[in-house]
Amino acid sequence: MTAKVTLSFSDETIEEARRFAKREGLSLSAWMDQAAREKALREVFTAHADAVGRAGLDLEAAALADAQEAALVDDALFGGRPRAA
């Protein structure tokens, strides 16, 4: 579903948006829709990362520790040889 809305932009902003849309082979509407969607997702992800940080979770460190543990298990099981597919 598509909603039609009236928006106002500065001349500079709309010219840049037109230029980027043309470069990407999109209509101005499609480019603006994509830009707004990407901005909304960045806001959601930033809020999530902030909440994780406030909770004291270090997901990156946990993921790295998991990868290191998997590498140790692989080495123990396969002796550095590649796994069979």
Side-chain angles (χ1 to χ4, degrees):
M1 184 171 197
T2 301
K4 296 219 179 253
V5 297
T6 301
L7 301 169
S8 298
F9 297 96
S10 69
D11 291 339
E12 180 182 331
T13 298
I14 201 67
E15 286 308 314
E16 287 178 4
R18 284 185 176 128
R19 190 171 51 255
F20 288 130
K22 183 177 181 180
R23 183 184 73 190
E24 295 179 25
L26 298 171
S27 68
L28 179 59
S29 292
W31 190 87
M32 294 294 257
D33 182 68
Q34 180 179 335
R37 185 178 313 270
E38 289 173 2
K39 172 66 174 170
L41 287 173
R42 279 194 306 275
E43 293 290 328
V44 168
F45 291 138
T46 298
H48 179 264
D50 290 346
V52 166
R54 284 192 305 274
L57 303 175
D58 189 349
L59 299 179
E60 185 175 355
L64 289 172
D66 287 348
Q68 289 172 342
E69 184 177 352
L72 289 172
V73 170
D74 281 353
D75 191 46
L77 291 175
F78 304 105
R81 296 181 313 275
R83 291 188 205 190

Coordinates of all heavy atoms in Angstrom, one line a residue:
M1 N 0.8 -1.2 0.0 CA 0.0 0.0 0.0 C 0.9 1.2 0.0 O 1.9 1.3 0.7 CB -0.9 0.0 1.2 CG -1.9 1.1 1.3 SD -3.0 0.8 2.7 CE -4.3 1.9 2.2
T2 N 0.5 2.2 -0.7 CA 1.3 3.5 -0.8 C 0.4 4.6 -0.4 O -0.7 4.8 -0.8 CB 1.7 3.7 -2.3 OG1 2.5 2.6 -2.7 CG2 2.6 4.9 -2.4
A3 N 1.0 5.5 0.5 CA 0.3 6.7 0.9 C 0.9 7.9 0.2 O 2.1 8.0 0.1 CB 0.5 6.8 2.4
K4 N 0.1 8.7 -0.2 CA 0.5 10.0 -0.9 C 0.5 11.1 0.2 O -0.5 11.3 0.9 CB -0.4 10.4 -2.0 CG -0.3 9.3 -3.1 CD -0.4 10.0 -4.5 CE -0.3 9.0 -5.6 NZ 0.9 9.0 -6.2
V5 N 1.7 11.7 0.4 CA 1.8 12.8 1.3 C 2.5 14.0 0.7 O 3.2 13.9 -0.3 CB 2.6 12.3 2.6 CG1 1.9 11.2 3.3 CG2 4.0 11.9 2.2
T6 N 2.3 15.1 1.3 CA 2.9 16.4 0.8 C 4.0 16.7 1.9 O 3.7 16.8 3.0 CB 1.9 17.5 0.7 OG1 0.9 17.1 -0.2 CG2 2.6 18.8 0.3
L7 N 5.2 16.8 1.4 CA 6.4 17.2 2.2 C 7.1 18.4 1.7 O 7.0 18.6 0.5 CB 7.4 16.0 2.3 CG 6.8 14.7 2.8 CD1 7.8 13.6 2.6 CD2 6.5 14.7 4.3
S8 N 7.8 19.1 2.6 CA 8.6 20.2 2.1 C 10.0 20.0 2.5 O 10.3 19.5 3.6 CB 8.1 21.5 2.9 OG 6.7 21.8 2.5
F9 N 10.9 20.3 1.5 CA 12.3 20.1 1.7 C 13.0 21.3 1.2 O 12.5 22.1 0.4 CB 12.8 18.9 0.8 CG 12.3 17.6 1.2 CD1 11.2 17.1 0.5 CD2 12.8 16.8 2.2 CE1 10.6 15.8 0.9 CE2 12.3 15.6 2.6 CZ 11.2 15.1 1.9
S10 N 14.2 21.6 1.8 CA 15.0 22.7 1.3 C 15.4 22.4 -0.2 O 15.5 21.2 -0.6 CB 16.3 22.9 2.1 OG 17.2 21.8 1.9
D11 N 15.7 23.4 -0.9 CA 16.1 23.3 -2.3 C 17.3 22.4 -2.4 O 17.4 21.5 -3.3 CB 16.4 24.6 -3.0 CG 15.2 25.5 -3.2 OD1 14.1 24.9 -3.2 OD2 15.3 26.7 -3.3
E12 N 18.3 22.6 -1.5 CA 19.5 21.8 -1.5 C 19.2 20.3 -1.3 O 19.8 19.5 -1.9 CB 20.5 22.3 -0.4 CG 21.8 21.6 -0.3 CD 22.7 22.1 0.8 OE1 22.6 23.3 1.1 OE2 23.5 21.3 1.3
T13 N 18.4 20.0 -0.3 CA 18.1 18.6 0.0 C 17.4 18.0 -1.1 O 17.7 16.8 -1.5 CB 17.1 18.6 1.3 OG1 17.9 19.1 2.4 CG2 16.7 17.1 1.6
I14 N 16.4 18.6 -1.7 CA 15.7 17.9 -2.8 C 16.6 17.7 -4.1 O 16.5 16.7 -4.7 CB 14.4 18.7 -3.2 CG1 13.4 17.8 -3.9 CG2 14.6 19.9 -4.0 CD1 12.9 16.7 -3.0
E15 N 17.5 18.7 -4.3 CA 18.4 18.5 -5.4 C 19.3 17.3 -5.2 O 19.6 16.6 -6.1 CB 19.2 19.8 -5.7 CG 18.3 20.9 -6.4 CD 17.6 20.4 -7.7 OE1 18.2 19.7 -8.5 OE2 16.4 20.6 -7.8
E16 N 19.9 17.2 -4.0 CA 20.7 16.1 -3.7 C 20.0 14.8 -3.8 O 20.5 13.8 -4.3 CB 21.3 16.3 -2.2 CG 22.4 17.3 -2.2 CD 22.9 17.5 -0.8 OE1 22.5 16.7 0.2 OE2 23.7 18.4 -0.6
A17 N 18.7 14.8 -3.3 CA 17.9 13.6 -3.3 C 17.7 13.2 -4.8 O 17.8 12.0 -5.1 CB 16.6 13.8 -2.6
R18 N 17.4 14.1 -5.6 CA 17.2 13.9 -7.0 C 18.4 13.3 -7.7 O 18.4 12.3 -8.5 CB 16.7 15.1 -7.8 CG 15.3 15.5 -7.5 CD 14.9 16.7 -8.4 NE 13.5 17.0 -8.2 CZ 12.9 18.1 -7.9 NH1 13.7 19.2 -7.7 NH2 11.6 18.3 -7.7
R19 N 19.6 13.9 -7.3 CA 20.8 13.4 -7.9 C 21.1 12.0 -7.5 O 21.5 11.1 -8.3 CB 22.0 14.4 -7.5 CG 23.3 14.1 -8.2 CD 24.3 15.2 -7.9 NE 24.6 15.5 -6.5 CZ 24.1 16.6 -5.9 NH1 23.5 17.5 -6.6 NH2 24.4 16.8 -4.6
F20 N 20.9 11.7 -6.2 CA 21.2 10.3 -5.7 C 20.2 9.3 -6.3 O 20.6 8.2 -6.7 CB 21.1 10.3 -4.2 CG 22.3 10.9 -3.5 CD1 22.0 11.8 -2.5 CD2 23.6 10.6 -3.8 CE1 23.1 12.4 -1.8 CE2 24.6 11.2 -3.2 CZ 24.4 12.1 -2.2
A21 N 18.9 9.7 -6.4 CA 17.9 8.8 -7.0 C 18.3 8.5 -8.5 O 18.2 7.3 -8.9 CB 16.5 9.5 -6.9
K22 N 18.7 9.5 -9.2 CA 19.1 9.3 -10.6 C 20.3 8.4 -10.7 O 20.3 7.5 -11.5 CB 19.3 10.7 -11.3 CG 19.7 10.5 -12.7 CD 19.9 11.9 -13.4 CE 20.2 11.7 -14.9 NZ 20.4 13.0 -15.5
R23 N 21.3 8.6 -9.8 CA 22.5 7.8 -9.8 C 22.1 6.3 -9.6 O 22.8 5.5 -10.1 CB 23.5 8.3 -8.8 CG 24.8 7.6 -8.8 CD 25.7 8.1 -7.7 NE 25.2 7.6 -6.4 CZ 25.6 8.0 -5.2 NH1 26.6 8.9 -5.2 NH2 25.1 7.5 -4.1
E24 N 21.2 6.1 -8.7 CA 20.8 4.7 -8.3 C 19.7 4.2 -9.2 O 19.3 3.0 -9.0 CB 20.4 4.7 -6.9 CG 21.6 5.0 -5.9 CD 21.2 5.0 -4.5 OE1 20.2 4.3 -4.1 OE2 21.8 5.7 -3.7
G25 N 19.2 4.9 -10.2 CA 18.2 4.4 -11.1 C 16.9 4.3 -10.5 O 16.1 3.5 -10.9
L26 N 16.6 5.2 -9.5 CA 15.3 5.1 -8.8 C 14.5 6.4 -9.1 O 15.1 7.4 -9.3 CB 15.5 5.0 -7.3 CG 16.2 3.7 -6.8 CD1 16.5 3.8 -5.3 CD2 15.4 2.5 -7.1
S27 N 13.2 6.3 -8.9 CA 12.4 7.5 -8.9 C 12.7 8.2 -7.6 O 13.2 7.7 -6.6 CB 10.9 7.1 -9.0 OG 10.5 6.5 -7.8
L28 N 12.4 9.5 -7.6 CA 12.6 10.3 -6.4 C 11.8 9.7 -5.2 O 12.3 9.6 -4.1 CB 12.2 11.8 -6.6 CG 12.4 12.7 -5.4 CD1 13.8 12.7 -4.9 CD2 11.9 14.1 -5.8
S29 N 10.6 9.3 -5.5 CA 9.7 8.7 -4.4 C 10.3 7.5 -3.9 O 10.3 7.2 -2.7 CB 8.3 8.4 -5.0 OG 7.6 9.6 -5.3
A30 N 10.8 6.6 -4.8 CA 11.4 5.3 -4.3 C 12.6 5.6 -3.5 O 12.9 4.9 -2.5 CB 11.7 4.4 -5.5
W31 N 13.5 6.6 -3.9 CA 14.7 6.9 -3.2 C 14.4 7.4 -1.8 O 15.0 7.0 -0.8 CB 15.6 7.8 -4.0 CG 16.9 8.0 -3.4 CD1 18.0 7.2 -3.6 CD2 17.3 8.9 -2.4 NE1 19.1 7.6 -2.8 CE2 18.7 8.7 -2.1 CE3 16.6 9.9 -1.7 CZ2 19.4 9.4 -1.1 CZ3 17.4 10.7 -0.8 CH2 18.7 10.4 -0.5
M32 N 13.4 8.3 -1.8 CA 13.0 8.9 -0.5 C 12.4 7.8 0.4 O 12.7 7.8 1.7 CB 12.0 10.1 -0.7 CG 12.6 11.2 -1.4 SD 13.9 12.0 -0.5 CE 13.0 13.5 0.1
D33 N 11.6 6.9 -0.1 CA 11.1 5.8 0.7 C 12.2 5.0 1.3 O 12.2 4.7 2.5 CB 10.2 5.0 -0.2 CG 9.5 3.8 0.6 OD1 8.7 4.1 1.5 OD2 9.9 2.7 0.3
Q34 N 13.2 4.7 0.4 CA 14.3 3.9 0.9 C 15.1 4.6 2.0 O 15.5 4.0 3.0 CB 15.2 3.5 -0.3 CG 16.4 2.7 0.1 CD 17.3 2.4 -1.2 OE1 16.8 2.4 -2.3 NE2 18.5 2.1 -1.0
A35 N 15.4 5.9 1.7 CA 16.1 6.7 2.7 C 15.4 6.8 4.0 O 16.0 6.6 5.1 CB 16.4 8.1 2.1
A36 N 14.1 7.0 4.0 CA 13.3 7.1 5.3 C 13.3 5.7 6.0 O 13.5 5.7 7.2 CB 11.9 7.5 5.0
R37 N 13.2 4.6 5.2 CA 13.2 3.3 5.8 C 14.6 3.0 6.5 O 14.6 2.5 7.6 CB 12.9 2.2 4.8 CG 12.8 0.8 5.3 CD 12.4 -0.1 4.2 NE 11.3 0.4 3.3 CZ 10.0 0.1 3.5 NH1 9.7 -0.6 4.6 NH2 9.1 0.6 2.7
E38 N 15.7 3.3 5.8 CA 17.0 3.1 6.3 C 17.2 3.9 7.6 O 17.8 3.5 8.5 CB 18.1 3.4 5.3 CG 18.1 2.4 4.1 CD 19.0 2.8 3.0 OE1 19.7 3.9 3.1 OE2 19.1 2.1 2.0
K39 N 16.8 5.2 7.6 CA 16.9 6.0 8.8 C 16.1 5.4 9.9 O 16.6 5.4 11.1 CB 16.4 7.4 8.5 CG 16.3 8.4 9.6 CD 17.6 8.7 10.3 CE 17.5 9.8 11.3 NZ 18.6 10.0 12.1
A40 N 14.9 4.9 9.7 CA 14.1 4.3 10.7 C 14.8 3.1 11.3 O 14.8 2.9 12.5 CB 12.7 4.0 10.2
L41 N 15.3 2.3 10.4 CA 16.0 1.1 10.9 C 17.3 1.4 11.7 O 17.6 0.8 12.7 CB 16.4 0.2 9.7 CG 15.3 -0.6 9.1 CD1 15.8 -1.3 7.8 CD2 14.7 -1.6 10.0
R42 N 18.0 2.5 11.3 CA 19.2 2.9 12.1 C 18.7 3.4 13.5 O 19.4 3.1 14.5 CB 19.9 4.1 11.4 CG 20.8 3.6 10.3 CD 21.8 4.7 9.8 NE 21.2 5.9 9.4 CZ 20.7 6.2 8.2 NH1 20.8 5.2 7.3 NH2 20.1 7.3 7.9
E43 N 17.6 4.1 13.6 CA 17.1 4.5 14.9 C 16.8 3.3 15.7 O 17.1 3.3 16.9 CB 15.9 5.4 14.7 CG 16.2 6.7 14.0 CD 17.0 7.7 14.9 OE1 16.8 7.6 16.1 OE2 17.7 8.4 14.3
V44 N 16.1 2.3 15.2 CA 15.7 1.1 15.9 C 17.0 0.3 16.4 O 17.1 0.0 17.6 CB 14.8 0.1 15.1 CG1 14.7 -1.2 15.7 CG2 13.5 0.8 14.8
F45 N 17.9 0.1 15.5 CA 19.2 -0.6 15.8 C 20.0 0.2 16.9 O 20.6 -0.4 17.8 CB 20.0 -0.9 14.6 CG 19.4 -1.9 13.7 CD1 19.4 -1.7 12.3 CD2 18.8 -3.0 14.2 CE1 18.8 -2.7 11.5 CE2 18.2 -4.0 13.4 CZ 18.2 -3.8 12.0
T46 N 20.0 1.5 16.8 CA 20.8 2.3 17.7 C 20.1 2.2 19.1 O 20.8 2.0 20.1 CB 20.8 3.8 17.3 OG1 21.5 3.8 16.0 CG2 21.5 4.7 18.3
A47 N 18.8 2.3 19.1 CA 18.1 2.1 20.4 C 18.3 0.7 21.0 O 18.5 0.6 22.2 CB 16.6 2.4 20.2
H48 N 18.3 -0.3 20.2 CA 18.6 -1.6 20.7 C 20.0 -1.7 21.2 O 20.2 -2.3 22.3 CB 18.4 -2.7 19.6 CG 18.6 -4.1 20.0 ND1 19.9 -4.7 19.8 CD2 17.9 -5.0 20.6 CE1 19.8 -5.9 20.3 NE2 18.6 -6.1 20.8
A49 N 21.0 -1.2 20.5 CA 22.4 -1.3 21.0 C 22.5 -0.5 22.3 O 23.2 -0.9 23.2 CB 23.3 -0.7 19.9
D50 N 21.8 0.6 22.4 CA 21.9 1.4 23.7 C 21.3 0.6 24.8 O 21.8 0.6 25.9 CB 21.1 2.7 23.5 CG 21.8 3.7 22.6 OD1 23.0 3.5 22.3 OD2 21.2 4.7 22.2
A51 N 20.2 -0.1 24.5 CA 19.5 -0.9 25.6 C 20.5 -2.1 26.0 O 20.6 -2.4 27.2 CB 18.2 -1.4 25.1
V52 N 21.1 -2.7 25.0 CA 22.0 -3.8 25.3 C 23.2 -3.3 26.2 O 23.6 -3.9 27.1 CB 22.5 -4.5 24.0 CG1 23.7 -5.4 24.3 CG2 21.4 -5.2 23.4
G53 N 23.7 -2.1 25.8 CA 24.8 -1.5 26.5 C 24.4 -1.2 28.0 O 25.1 -1.4 28.9
R54 N 23.2 -0.6 28.1 CA 22.7 -0.3 29.5 C 22.5 -1.5 30.3 O 22.7 -1.5 31.5 CB 21.4 0.5 29.4 CG 21.5 1.9 29.0 CD 20.3 2.7 29.2 NE 19.1 2.1 28.6 CZ 18.8 2.4 27.3 NH1 19.5 3.2 26.6 NH2 17.7 1.8 26.8
A55 N 22.2 -2.7 29.7 CA 22.0 -3.9 30.4 C 23.3 -4.6 30.8 O 23.4 -5.5 31.5 CB 21.2 -4.9 29.5
G56 N 24.4 -4.0 30.3 CA 25.7 -4.5 30.6 C 26.1 -5.7 29.8 O 27.0 -6.5 30.2
L57 N 25.4 -6.0 28.7 CA 25.8 -7.1 27.9 C 26.8 -6.7 26.9 O 26.8 -5.7 26.3 CB 24.5 -7.6 27.1 CG 23.3 -8.0 28.0 CD1 22.1 -8.3 27.1 CD2 23.7 -9.1 28.9
D58 N 27.8 -7.6 26.7 CA 28.8 -7.4 25.7 C 28.7 -8.5 24.6 O 29.4 -9.5 24.7 CB 30.2 -7.4 26.3 CG 31.3 -6.9 25.4 OD1 31.0 -6.8 24.2 OD2 32.4 -6.7 25.8
L59 N 27.8 -8.3 23.7 CA 27.5 -9.3 22.7 C 28.6 -9.6 21.8 O 28.9 -10.7 21.3 CB 26.2 -9.0 21.9 CG 24.9 -8.8 22.7 CD1 23.8 -8.4 21.9 CD2 24.6 -10.1 23.5
E60 N 29.4 -8.6 21.5 CA 30.6 -8.7 20.6 C 31.6 -9.6 21.2 O 32.1 -10.6 20.6 CB 31.2 -7.4 20.2 CG 32.3 -7.5 19.2 CD 32.8 -6.2 18.7 OE1 32.2 -5.2 19.0 OE2 33.8 -6.2 17.9
A61 N 31.9 -9.4 22.5 CA 32.9 -10.2 23.2 C 32.4 -11.7 23.3 O 33.1 -12.6 23.1 CB 33.1 -9.7 24.6
A62 N 31.1 -11.8 23.5 CA 30.5 -13.2 23.6 C 30.6 -13.9 22.3 O 30.9 -15.1 22.2 CB 29.0 -13.1 24.1
A63 N 30.3 -13.2 21.2 CA 30.4 -13.8 19.9 C 31.9 -14.2 19.5 O 32.1 -15.2 19.0 CB 29.9 -12.8 18.8
L64 N 32.8 -13.3 19.9 CA 34.2 -13.6 19.7 C 34.7 -14.8 20.5 O 35.4 -15.7 20.0 CB 35.1 -12.4 20.0 CG 35.0 -11.2 19.0 CD1 35.8 -10.0 19.5 CD2 35.5 -11.6 17.6
A65 N 34.2 -14.9 21.7 CA 34.5 -16.0 22.6 C 34.0 -17.3 22.0 O 34.6 -18.4 22.0 CB 34.0 -15.8 24.0
D66 N 32.7 -17.2 21.5 CA 32.1 -18.4 20.8 C 32.9 -18.9 19.6 O 33.2 -20.1 19.4 CB 30.7 -18.1 20.4 CG 29.7 -18.0 21.6 OD1 30.1 -18.4 22.7 OD2 28.6 -17.6 21.3
A67 N 33.4 -17.9 18.8 CA 34.2 -18.3 17.6 C 35.5 -18.9 18.0 O 35.9 -19.9 17.4 CB 34.4 -17.0 16.8
Q68 N 36.1 -18.4 19.1 CA 37.4 -18.9 19.5 C 37.2 -20.3 20.1 O 38.0 -21.2 19.8 CB 38.0 -18.0 20.6 CG 38.5 -16.7 20.1 CD 39.0 -15.8 21.1 OE1 38.6 -15.9 22.3 NE2 39.7 -14.8 20.8
E69 N 36.1 -20.5 20.8 CA 35.8 -21.9 21.3 C 35.5 -22.9 20.2 O 36.0 -24.0 20.2 CB 34.6 -21.8 22.3 CG 34.3 -23.1 23.0 CD 33.1 -23.0 23.9 OE1 32.7 -21.9 24.2 OE2 32.7 -24.1 24.4
A70 N 34.8 -22.4 19.2 CA 34.5 -23.3 18.0 C 35.8 -23.7 17.3 O 36.0 -24.8 16.9 CB 33.6 -22.6 17.1
A71 N 36.7 -22.7 17.2 CA 38.0 -23.0 16.6 C 38.8 -24.0 17.4 O 39.5 -24.9 16.9 CB 38.8 -21.7 16.4
L72 N 38.8 -23.9 18.7 CA 39.5 -24.8 19.6 C 38.9 -26.2 19.4 O 39.7 -27.2 19.4 CB 39.4 -24.4 21.0 CG 40.3 -23.2 21.4 CD1 39.9 -22.7 22.9 CD2 41.7 -23.4 21.3
V73 N 37.6 -26.3 19.4 CA 37.0 -27.6 19.2 C 37.3 -28.2 17.9 O 37.7 -29.4 17.7 CB 35.4 -27.5 19.4 CG1 34.7 -28.8 19.0 CG2 35.1 -27.2 20.8
D74 N 37.3 -27.4 16.8 CA 37.6 -27.8 15.5 C 39.1 -28.4 15.5 O 39.4 -29.4 14.9 CB 37.5 -26.7 14.4 CG 36.1 -26.5 14.0 OD1 35.2 -27.3 14.4 OD2 35.8 -25.5 13.2
D75 N 40.0 -27.6 16.1 CA 41.4 -28.0 16.1 C 41.5 -29.4 16.9 O 42.3 -30.2 16.4 CB 42.2 -26.9 16.8 CG 43.7 -27.2 16.6 OD1 44.1 -27.5 15.5 OD2 44.4 -27.1 17.6
A76 N 40.8 -29.5 18.0 CA 40.9 -30.7 18.8 C 40.3 -31.9 18.0 O 40.9 -33.0 18.0 CB 40.1 -30.6 20.1
L77 N 39.2 -31.7 17.3 CA 38.6 -32.8 16.5 C 39.3 -33.1 15.2 O 39.3 -34.2 14.8 CB 37.1 -32.4 16.3 CG 36.2 -32.4 17.5 CD1 34.8 -31.9 17.1 CD2 36.1 -33.8 18.1
F78 N 39.7 -32.0 14.5 CA 40.2 -32.2 13.2 C 41.7 -31.9 13.0 O 42.3 -32.1 11.9 CB 39.4 -31.3 12.2 CG 38.0 -31.6 12.2 CD1 37.1 -30.6 12.9 CD2 37.4 -32.7 11.7 CE1 35.7 -30.9 12.9 CE2 36.1 -32.9 11.7 CZ 35.2 -32.0 12.3
G79 N 42.4 -31.6 14.1 CA 43.8 -31.4 14.1 C 44.3 -30.4 13.1 O 45.3 -30.5 12.5
G80 N 43.5 -29.3 12.8 CA 43.9 -28.3 11.9 C 43.5 -28.7 10.4 O 43.7 -27.9 9.5
R81 N 43.0 -29.9 10.2 CA 42.6 -30.3 8.9 C 41.2 -29.7 8.6 O 40.4 -29.5 9.5 CB 42.5 -31.8 8.7 CG 43.8 -32.5 8.9 CD 43.7 -34.0 8.7 NE 42.6 -34.6 9.5 CZ 42.6 -35.0 10.8 NH1 43.7 -34.8 11.5 NH2 41.6 -35.5 11.3
P82 N 40.9 -29.3 7.4 CA 39.6 -28.8 7.1 C 38.5 -29.9 7.3 O 38.8 -31.1 7.1 CB 39.7 -28.4 5.6 CG 40.9 -29.0 5.1 CD 41.8 -29.4 6.2
R83 N 37.3 -29.4 7.7 CA 36.2 -30.3 7.9 C 35.8 -30.9 6.5 O 35.8 -30.2 5.5 CB 35.0 -29.6 8.5 CG 35.2 -29.1 9.8 CD 33.8 -28.6 10.3 NE 34.0 -27.7 11.4 CZ 33.0 -27.2 12.1 NH1 31.8 -27.6 11.8 NH2 33.2 -26.3 13.0
A84 N 35.2 -32.1 6.5 CA 34.6 -32.6 5.3 C 33.3 -31.9 5.1 O 32.6 -31.7 6.1 CB 34.4 -34.1 5.5
A85 N 33.0 -31.6 3.9 CA 31.7 -30.9 3.6 C 30.5 -31.8 3.7 O 30.5 -33.0 3.6 CB 31.8 -30.3 2.2

